[in-house]
């Protein structure tokens, strides 16, 4: 019996060591002092005069090299009346969003759980906050007749953005329309028409 307890203890310690090593390693440096870093312009509204009616201004490691290894970035999102930030995902970051002007209808869809793909959605007013978990498809929509503005913090220096419609129907080279027709249960001609559209990179 004593041997079984020792074996069980060693197994648990071995599993804990394995799990701990599966996480991302710590950064190679504590921080990067980039003296020449300067980014301004978050006070300036982005151009929302295109088909989706929103504009995302990114402040990530590409704009401020001092963010290197810090695991954080920021965006400003401007919305025209009835504009949207289309369904998209950030493969490397959770996002926390705060509305600073106007109103937004926001939501995310869970991944293949027991309840299928469940939608969590809410209408946000000025000062309200919402969190979009890492990797899940989410969106923001301005249901109002006036512009809206939001800021969001993301838990990565380079969170990445995959806009679903752009990736599926605007890939280069194009995905075989027969594959998409079967996946979305659409007529192949509709898929081919969707692939001819100009997809706005937001």
């Amino acid at each position: 019996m004593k041997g079984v307890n020792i074996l069980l203890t060693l197994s648990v310690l071995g599993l804990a060591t394995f799990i701990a090593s599966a996480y991302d390693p710590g950064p190679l440096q504590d921080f990067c002092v980039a003296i020449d870093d300067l980014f301004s312009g978050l006070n300036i509204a982005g151009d929302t005069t295109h088909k989706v009616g929103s504009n995302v201004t990114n402040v990530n490691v590409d704009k401020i090299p001092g963010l290197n290894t810090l695991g954080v970035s920021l965006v400003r999102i401007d919305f025209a009346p009835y504009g949207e930030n289309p369904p998209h995902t950030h493969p490397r970051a959770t996002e926390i969003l705060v509305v600073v002007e106007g109103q937004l209808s926001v939501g995310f869809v869970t991944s293949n759980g027991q309840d299928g793909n469940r939608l969590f959605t809410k209408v946000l007013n000025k000062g309200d906050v919402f969190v979009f978990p890492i990797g899940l498809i989410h969106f923001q929509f301005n249901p109002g007749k006036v512009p809206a503005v939001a800021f969001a913090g993301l838990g990565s220096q380079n969170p990445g953005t995959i806009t679903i419609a752009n990736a599926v129907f605007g890939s280069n080279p194009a995905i075989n329309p027969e594959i998409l027709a079967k996946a979305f249960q659409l007529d192949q001609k509709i898929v081919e028409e969707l692939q001819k559209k100009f997809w706005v990179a937001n």
Side-chain angles (χ1 to χ4, degrees), residues 17 81 96:
T17 302
I96 184 167

Side-chain angles (χ1 to χ4, degrees), residues 23-24 30 70 86 89 109 111 115 118 130 157 170 175 196:
Y23 287 97
D24 286 341
D30 290 332
L70 296 182
T89 180
V109 180
S111 59
D115 299 332
R118 186 169 173 205
F130 198 82
Q157 67 189 30
I175 298 172
K196 291 177 187 173

